[in-house]
Amino acid sequence: MAQVNNINPTEPTTGETPPHPTPPPAPIPAGGRRKTSRWGGCLPWAIGLGVLFALFAIWKFPAFKAQAELGSAYAARVGCSCRYVQGRSLESCQSDFEPGMEMVSLSEDPATKTVTGSVPLLASRSARYAGASGCLLRPEN
């Protein structure tokens, strides 16, 4: 014969489904602090700093471009005088640059006796050897 279970239900029998119990909160580690996500607290600050840096770069870009124009023109003039007036090699002429001009590079065109100073992506200026007049900067386009 089959066993009969005669236990009365402990929940209300009104037809409603009982609410699901909420899980207990996670235990606090021994250090006393709960582990938060890695970027949860830093992400807003990182985004804010990135926006401020972008605004600063946009605000200062004309000054960067003007300094690049000035540096490339100076390098072209000094490089042309060094190369065609003094007769030195173009590599030795780069040692005559002022400190802080490491971004400026020189190139030459021996056929036209022209030296070009350039700052990548910002500026490029050329100077041409004009005989007794020395080296003259070519006008901008």
Side-chain angles (χ1 to χ4, degrees), residues 45-109:
W45 288 100
I47 291 172
L49 287 175
V51 168
L52 286 176
F53 179 73
L55 289 173
F56 177 76
I58 291 169
W59 177 54
K60 283 293 192 178
F61 183 73
F64 292 145
K65 186 156 177 60
Q67 286 179 337
E69 287 283 337
L70 181 64
S72 61
Y74 173 80
R77 171 72 174 73
V78 168
C80 179
S81 297
C82 173
R83 177 74 180 105
Y84 294 110
V85 175
Q86 295 178 352
R88 294 168 45 197
S89 69
L90 202 58
E91 289 78 27
S92 71
C93 295
Q94 286 187 326
S95 65
D96 293 345
F97 288 171
E98 295 292 322
M101 292 187 59
E102 292 81 18
M103 292 286 295
V104 181
S105 62
L106 291 178
S107 61
E108 71 173 315
D109 181 10

